[in-house]
């Protein structure tokens, strides 16, 4: 029996590795394909992710609520330190493996139609496959070293996809901003990993954070190193999952293709931060969890207030993602571990659906713009309206996803958000009034979500088509698109409803997902919050939906005035980017320019002075060598030559000259003697 179980575990590991490697194989094949717009690349990537999805489902079935599977082998040795590499499959990794592949599949199918006219079609799917490989590998590795490697690859591949249209200056600025922001977080994560290794002498995730792992049982780590490690890890989480203050890259990341935005926002890059928290959750002590809860709540509230006034369709959804990620981080902070992961899963479906629907809308408005030579932004909702008649399937999909995002009953979002709100109030029970601000902030954020989602849907799908008022003669050819658009929308819309997660549409505790994390989260229905919170949230949400509808369609109610401090604060995104530009980027650029001036004028000037002095000394040495030393040598040579030439006259070879010379010398000596 034991051998049989080991064989099953080995097969599960192989299936998991195959699910990870298949997108990498598609990446390699696509690189080798000829041409820039080879349509084969799309189906190579799509088939690869389809097979990954099937294999991930098998792995999930074998691992979920059963024993975890962990296999590793020696990777390398440095001194006495042995570093292992392997695969760790437990409820968390199996869930994420399935989620990433299931979300990536409709995105791939959708992309085959969405990108078909792009001249770099092959490059797009090459990047997309590499992106999926990086994320799938991230969720199954068992070592912090490998985790960091794939964490970086996820960031690198997202950088490539955000800047896919590299001829657009905004796209280049956006991917550089995302890259730099994430490098800030990665420095923190690397710091945390180094501290953990120096304290516990292992990179193994199971040894560190598993049941009865070193983090829970060992006491050798000091409080200082504990806080530094947690701060570093949260910095990585904040950058990847776009939490305050490192959230500003995510709205700008909308410059990439909309299908990429759907994948990034749903289950890959931004989900990696929450997944990391789930992996290292035992590391955080109660005080650090409170900080998580506060930052998550503030991020959720701030992003929701910004989404209220934005007019860019994708930017509204981006701030919605930041807000929902704030919910997840807050849930981790209040101890609602299972609820956080539950909301991560439900959010993946309805946010992916909203982005894919937004892509269809933008694609159709772009066609109208091109056909009629209009000078408009196809993502601006102020130019839309009345599209529900032209795009009925997209309209229904947006309604379903919007209701799930708001968290109304019979949707998956109701079940996951409900759990977070209820447990937030339970967490604050018995604490001081300051702790009540966290659940109250989350509650207000939920109502703000109802308003901005309604505003978005109403402005896009209801009323009259605004472009017809601008130019009544424009030609309209709008539809829901090909089957590659329709099938993903239908699939994701079904996944946004409650039956996928629970047969009971109103009690979040009955969701099957909670059974996988029951040891961490208590779910007893013991107080009145379980009744008051869902009723109060949803009744007021419905009233807010009607109010927003009245404001923008019936125009029978007053909206917030589009003037004043609060509106400007929301519209200008809390002035966070201008603050960064003025107080961080500008000083850094000034420091860079100052350093450049010092380098060019002082350091280089000093070096150039030394160069001139050296050249001067060299010239003096050259003159001295040429005219003094060489002159003395040449003078001596001339003297010797002269003496030699003079003496040569006495060696003519004629006897009479010799006799004459002897006589002259004798006479000279005689005269010299007489004179003296």
């Amino acid at each position: 029996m034991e051998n049989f179980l080991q064989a099953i575990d080995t097969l599960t590991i192989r299936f998991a590795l195959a699910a990870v490697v298949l997108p990498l194989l598609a990446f390699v094949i696509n690189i080798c394909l000829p041409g820039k717009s080879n349509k084969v690349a799309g189906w190579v990537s799509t088939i690869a992710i389809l097979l990954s999805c099937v294999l991930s489902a098998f792995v999930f079935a074998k691992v979920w609520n059963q024993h975890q599977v962990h296999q590793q082998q020696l990777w390398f040795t440095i001194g006495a330190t042995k570093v292992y590499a392997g695969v760790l499959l437990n409820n968390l990794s199996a869930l994420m493996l399935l989620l990433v592949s299931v979300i990536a599949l409709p995105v791939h199918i959708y992309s085959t139609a969405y990108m078909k006219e792009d001249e770099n079609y092959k490059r797009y799917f090459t990047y997309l496959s590499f992106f999926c490989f990086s994320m799938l590998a991230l969720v199954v590795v068992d070592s912090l070293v490998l985790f960091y490697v794939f964490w970086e690859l996820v960031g690198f591949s997202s950088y490539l996809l955000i800047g896919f249209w590299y001829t657009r200056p905004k796209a280049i600025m956006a991917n550089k901003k995302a890259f730099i922001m994430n490098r800030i977080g990665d420095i923190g994560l690397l710091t945390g990993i180094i501290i953990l290794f120096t304290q516990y002498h292992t990179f193994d995730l199971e040894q560190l954070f598993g049941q009865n792992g070193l983090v829970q049982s060992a006491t050798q780590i000091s409080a200082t190193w504990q806080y530094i490690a947690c701060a570093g890890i949260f910095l990585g989480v904040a950058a990847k999952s776009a939490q305050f203050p490192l959230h500003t890259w995510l709205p700008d990341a909308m410059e990439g293709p909309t299908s990429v935005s759907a994948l990034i926002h749903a289950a890959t890059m931004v989900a990696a931060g929450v997944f990391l928290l789930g992996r290292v959750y035992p590391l955080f002590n109660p005080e650090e969890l409170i900080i998580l809860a506060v930052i998550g709540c503030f991020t959720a509230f701030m992003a929701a207030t910004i989404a209220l006034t934005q007019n860019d369709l994708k930017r509204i959804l981006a701030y919605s993602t930041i807000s929902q990620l704030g919910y997840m981080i807050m849930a981790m902070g209040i101890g609602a571990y299972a609820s956080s992961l539950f909301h991560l899963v439900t959010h993946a479906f309805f946010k992916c659906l909203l982005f894919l629907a937004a892509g269809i809308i933008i694609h159709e408005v772009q066609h109208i713009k091109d056909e009629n030579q209009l000078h408009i932004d196809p993502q601006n909702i102020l130019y839309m309206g009345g599209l529900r008649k032209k795009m009925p399937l997209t309209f229904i999909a947006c309604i379903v996803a919007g209701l799930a995002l708001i968290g109304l009953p019979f949707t998956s979002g109701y079940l996951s958000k409900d759990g977070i709100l209820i447990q937030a109030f339970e967490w604050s029970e018995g604490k001081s009034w300051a702790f009540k601000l966290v659940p109250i902030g989350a509650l207000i954020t939920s109502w703000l979500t109802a308003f901005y989602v309604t505003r978005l849907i109403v402005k896009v799908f209801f009323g009259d088509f605004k472009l017809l008022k601008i130019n009544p003669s424009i030609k309209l050819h709008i539809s829901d698109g090909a089957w590659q658009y329709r099938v993903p929308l239908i699939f994701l819309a079904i996944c946004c409803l409650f039956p996928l997660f629970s047969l009971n549409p109103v009690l979040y505790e009955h969701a099957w997902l909670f059974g996988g994390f029951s040891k961490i989260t208590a779910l007893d229905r013991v107080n009145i919050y379980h009744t008051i919170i869902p009723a109060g949230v949803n009744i007021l949400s419905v009233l807010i939906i009607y109010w927003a509808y009245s404001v923008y369609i019936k125009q029978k109610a007053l909206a917030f005035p589009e003037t004043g401090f609060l509106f400007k604060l929301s519209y200008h995104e809390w002035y966070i980017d201008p603050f960064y530009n003025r107080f961080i980027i500008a000083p850094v650029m000034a420091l860079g320019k100052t350093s450049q001036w010092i380098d060019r004028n002082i350091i280089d000037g000093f070096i150039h002075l030394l160069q001139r002095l050296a050249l001067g000394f060299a010239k003096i040495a050259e003159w001295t060598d040429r005219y003094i030393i060489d002159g003395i040598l040449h003078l001596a040579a001339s003297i010797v030559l002269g003496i030699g030439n003079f003496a040569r006259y006495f060696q003519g070879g004629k006897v009479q000259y010799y006799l004459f010379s002897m006589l002259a010398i004798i006479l000279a000596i005689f005269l010299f003697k007489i004179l003296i």
Side-chain angles (χ1 to χ4, degrees):
M1 183 65 180
E2 184 177 349
N3 292 335
F4 175 74
L5 292 177
Q6 289 178 353
I8 291 295
D9 289 349
T10 302
L11 185 63
T12 303
I13 290 289
R14 288 176 179 174
F15 278 19
L17 289 174
V20 171
V21 171
L22 277 167
L24 179 62
L25 181 62
F27 165 76
V28 174
I29 293 173
N30 285 345
I31 288 178
C32 298
L33 290 175
K36 297 171 63 176
S37 59
N38 195 321
K39 297 300 184 287
V40 175
W43 293 112
V44 168
S45 295
T46 303
I47 292 171
I49 202 65
L50 173 61
L51 295 175
S52 291
C53 188
V54 173
L55 294 171
S56 299
F58 174 85
V59 172
F60 181 81
K62 293 298 180 183
V63 173
W64 184 256
N65 279 348
Q66 301 181 46
H67 70 285
Q68 74 173 20
V69 181
H70 185 198
Q71 289 187 11
Q72 59 182 189
Q73 63 181 18
L74 183 63
W75 187 11
F76 60 86
T77 302
I78 300 179
T81 302
K82 295 182 178 180
V83 179
Y84 292 86
V87 174
L88 175 61
L89 297 175
N90 54 18
N91 282 353
L92 177 58
S93 55
L95 178 66
M96 286 299 298
L97 187 70
L98 180 61
L99 178 65
V100 173
S101 56
V102 167
I103 291 296
L105 178 58
V107 172
H108 276 72
I109 296 172
Y110 178 96
S111 297
T112 58
Y114 189 76
M115 300 297 294
K116 68 179 181 180
E117 302 297 334
D118 196 282
E119 61 178 6
N120 291 302
Y121 182 89
K122 188 190 80 169
R123 180 164 61 88
Y124 169 83
F125 278 99
T126 302
Y127 290 169
L128 197 63
S129 290
F130 187 70
F131 190 27
C132 291
F133 157 71
S134 302
M135 188 64 196
L136 289 170
L138 176 75
V139 302
V140 300
V141 294
D142 72 334
S143 165
L144 282 173
V145 175
L146 282 174
F147 185 94
Y148 189 76
V149 168
F150 289 111
W151 179 275
E152 289 296 310
L153 288 180
V154 167
F156 173 67
S157 50
S158 66
Y159 164 83
L160 295 176
L161 286 167
I162 292 169
F164 177 76
W165 287 314
Y166 56 84
T167 56
R168 302 178 183 179
K170 286 186 177 181
I172 296 302
M173 292 299 295
N175 74 344
K176 287 195 292 186
K177 186 176 182 179
F179 190 82
I180 292 171
M181 281 286 197
N182 278 276
R183 294 298 71 73
I184 295 171
D186 294 347
I187 292 171
L189 176 59
L190 183 59
T191 302
I193 291 173
I194 293 171
I195 291 172
L196 289 173
F197 177 75
T198 55
Q199 298 297 318
Y200 298 110
H201 311 293
T202 182
F203 292 109
D204 192 301
L205 286 166
E206 177 62 20
Q207 289 185 29
L208 287 169
F209 307 108
Q211 191 173 4
N212 301 320
L214 294 173
V215 169
Q216 291 180 318
S217 59
T219 58
Q220 65 264 34
I221 186 168
S222 66
T224 302
W225 289 121
Q226 158 80 15
Y227 285 123
I228 295 174
C230 288
I233 289 173
F234 179 72
L235 198 62
V237 171
K240 219 58 156 199
S241 290
Q243 296 298 286
F244 178 84
L246 300 178
H247 65 282
T248 56
W249 68 268
L250 191 57
D252 291 350
M254 299 301 95
E255 294 299 328
T258 306
S259 48
V260 169
S261 302
L263 195 57
I264 289 177
H265 285 248
T268 50
M269 186 169 178
V270 298
V274 181
F275 173 75
L276 172 60
L277 274 184
R279 275 292 201 213
V280 305
Y281 193 68
L283 179 66
F284 290 83
N285 61 36
E287 291 77 16
E288 292 158 350
L289 290 176
I290 290 173
I291 296 173
L292 286 184
V294 171
I295 293 177
C297 180
F298 175 76
T299 303
F301 173 77
M302 174 198 66
T305 60
I306 294 173
L308 292 173
T309 58
Q310 301 305 303
N311 295 319
D312 187 299
L313 177 55
K314 290 174 66 176
R315 207 167 184 85
I316 295 172
L317 296 180
Y319 276 108
S320 172
T321 298
I322 296 172
S323 182
Q324 298 307 305
L325 289 167
Y327 266 111
M328 300 171 208
I329 301 298
M330 182 194 74
M332 287 286 184
I334 64 175
Y337 182 91
S339 292
S340 176
L341 296 176
F342 188 17
H343 198 55
L344 173 66
V345 175
T346 60
H347 174 264
F349 289 106
F350 60 71
K351 188 52 60 68
C352 184
L353 177 56
L354 282 170
F355 267 106
L356 295 188
I360 298 173
I361 295 165
I362 295 168
H363 192 263
E364 296 299 315
V365 176
Q366 180 69 46
H367 278 314
I368 296 174
K369 173 186 175 181
D370 294 339
E371 288 179 5
N372 297 276
Q373 298 180 345
L374 302 175
H375 299 286
I376 62 168
D377 180 4
Q379 297 181 188
N380 194 325
I381 61 175
L382 299 181
Y383 295 115
M384 302 176 190
L387 296 181
R388 72 184 188 280
K389 298 177 182 178
K390 300 287 185 179
M391 310 170 69
L393 180 60
T394 305
F395 168 65
I396 294 172
C398 283
I399 290 292
V400 172
L403 293 177
L405 176 56
I406 295 169
L408 292 183
F410 304 104
T411 65
S412 60
Y414 169 84
L415 295 171
S416 58
K417 186 181 286 188
D418 222 28
I420 294 175
L421 292 173
I422 291 171
Q423 289 171 85
F425 278 94
E426 290 177 341
W427 169 80
S428 66
E429 190 70 24
K431 296 182 174 67
S432 67
W433 65 269
F435 289 89
K436 300 290 183 184
L437 295 176
V438 171
I440 291 173
L443 202 60
I444 295 172
T445 301
S446 180
W447 292 326
L448 294 175
T449 303
F451 186 87
Y452 73 69
V453 170
T454 306
R455 173 178 177 266
L456 172 66
I457 292 176
V458 164
K459 280 189 171 292
V460 172
F461 292 104
F462 289 86
D464 298 322
F465 191 50
K466 306 300 187 300
L467 289 179
L468 286 175
K469 294 183 178 181
I470 299 174
N471 185 358
S473 63
I474 63 174
K475 301 175 182 178
L476 296 181
H477 302 288
I478 303 176
S479 68
D480 290 310
W483 69 268
Q484 293 99 321
Y485 291 153
R486 296 169 182 265
V487 171
L489 294 189
I490 295 171
F491 169 74
L492 291 169
I494 293 172
C495 293
C496 291
L497 302 176
F498 73 91
L500 182 64
F501 299 97
S502 173
L503 296 179
N504 190 322
V506 294
L507 299 182
Y508 71 91
E509 301 97 325
H510 291 191
W512 57 265
L513 190 142
F514 282 101
F517 306 104
S518 57
K519 294 181 181 179
I520 300 175
T521 306
L523 297 170
D524 295 328
R525 192 169 276 267
V526 295
N527 54 50
I528 199 170
Y529 289 129
H530 291 262
T531 303
I532 291 179
I533 298 302
V537 168
N538 290 287
I539 290 173
L540 193 53
S541 293
V542 171
L543 294 176
I544 289 173
I545 291 171
Y546 179 75
W547 177 46
Y549 180 81
S550 299
V551 168
Y552 294 108
I553 295 299
K554 294 185 177 181
Q555 298 182 347
K556 293 182 179 180
L558 295 176
F560 295 110
E562 295 186 358
T563 56
F565 173 74
L566 291 178
F567 176 82
K568 291 179 180 179
L569 183 68
S570 171
Y571 186 77
H572 294 288
E573 302 166 358
W574 284 48
Y575 296 99
I576 293 175
D577 267 333
F579 175 83
Y580 287 164
N581 290 335
R582 182 172 181 180
F583 294 102
I584 296 179
I585 296 176
V588 169
M589 294 298 292
L591 178 62
K593 291 180 179 179
T594 303
S595 300
Q596 182 190 33
W597 186 88
I598 292 173
D599 179 64
R600 179 171 295 174
N601 296 281
I602 296 179
I603 298 176
D604 285 355
F606 179 70
I607 293 173
H608 293 157
L609 176 63
L610 292 178
Q611 178 191 23
R612 295 189 189 98
L613 290 174
L615 287 172
F617 285 128
K619 289 179 180 179
I620 292 172
E622 180 192 24
W623 186 88
T624 303
D625 180 66
R626 178 174 296 175
Y627 295 104
I628 296 179
I629 297 175
D630 286 355
I632 292 173
L633 294 175
H634 293 158
L635 177 63
S638 299
I639 292 172
V640 171
L641 180 63
I643 294 173
N645 290 334
F646 177 75
R648 186 176 61 185
Y649 291 117
F650 299 101
Q651 300 293 328
K654 295 180 179 181
V655 176
Q656 61 269 31
Y657 287 164
Y658 295 157
L659 293 174
F660 177 75
S661 298
M662 291 173 62
L663 178 62
I665 292 171
I666 292 170
L667 288 173
I669 293 172
F670 179 76
L671 290 172
F672 181 73
K673 187 175 181 182
I674 292 174
L675 291 173
I676 293 174

